[in-house]
Amino acid sequence: MLNINGTGYLGQDSELITSKSNPENKILKFSIGSKGTGSKDNQKTSWIDCVILNTKRAESLAGFFKKGTGLVFSGELQVSAYEDKEGNKKKNASIIFGNFEFIPKKDSSNGSPDKKESVELPDDDIPF
């Protein structure tokens, strides 16, 4: 097993599909893009297909995995081989998602991440 850790943004809305082998199983498919190294003018975005295989998790996350959503993630790299219609051998790499966290959206007014609301406690309420 090859574990992958990364950061990226969804290039389009995720797609909730029904498994061909078992109609009760749902799969969430999406692609994540991440800019490579180099100067701003020469950076190219790399895209990789991703899937969430757990039906309940796929159904619950489908509404949140929209174009532009930022994620920090870990998962398993899976490479599959197949033949296209012309008989050419092809390979496809995808990440089977494990854990992830959403990247906070940037505040459009100043370009910095939105700040989470904080609550101040009086000194006498702190339990340590």
Side-chain angles (χ1 to χ4, degrees):
M1 172 180 2
L2 183 58
N3 290 320
I4 300 291
N5 298 310
T7 303
Y9 294 86
L10 272 72
Q12 59 191 22
D13 292 351
S14 62
E15 179 182 5
L16 186 63
I17 60 172
T18 302
S19 170
K20 293 177 184 175
S21 60
N22 185 351
E24 293 181 15
N25 290 342
K26 303 278 191 223
I27 299 168
L28 190 63
K29 292 179 71 174
F30 51 98
S31 60
I32 290 187
S34 184
K35 292 199 177 190
T37 58
S39 67
K40 284 186 177 183
D41 296 335
N42 292 333
Q43 283 183 338
K44 291 187 179 184
T45 302
S46 297
W47 294 94
I48 189 155
D49 295 330
C50 302
V51 293
I52 294 176
L53 300 177
N54 179 292
T55 297
K56 288 182 182 180
R57 193 172 185 203
E59 289 175 334
S60 65
L61 292 172
F64 295 101
F65 278 36
K66 301 288 185 189
K67 181 178 180 176
T69 301
L71 300 170
V72 175
F73 62 89
S74 65
E76 180 184 339
L77 182 66
Q78 180 180 29
V79 179
S80 56
Y82 65 96
E83 284 189 21
D84 64 12
K85 293 178 183 179
E86 291 81 35
N88 300 316
K89 293 183 180 183
K90 303 272 184 170
K91 289 185 179 181
N92 183 46
S94 60
I95 296 175
I96 300 173
F97 250 49
N99 298 316
F100 73 91
E101 290 183 25
F102 289 102
I103 296 174
K105 292 184 178 184
K106 290 185 178 179
D107 180 0
S108 58
S109 63
N110 64 10
S112 64
D114 288 339
K115 293 180 180 171
K116 294 183 180 179
E117 189 175 320
S118 62
V119 177
E120 289 190 29
L121 297 173
D123 290 339
D124 58 343
D125 286 347
I126 297 175
F128 50 88

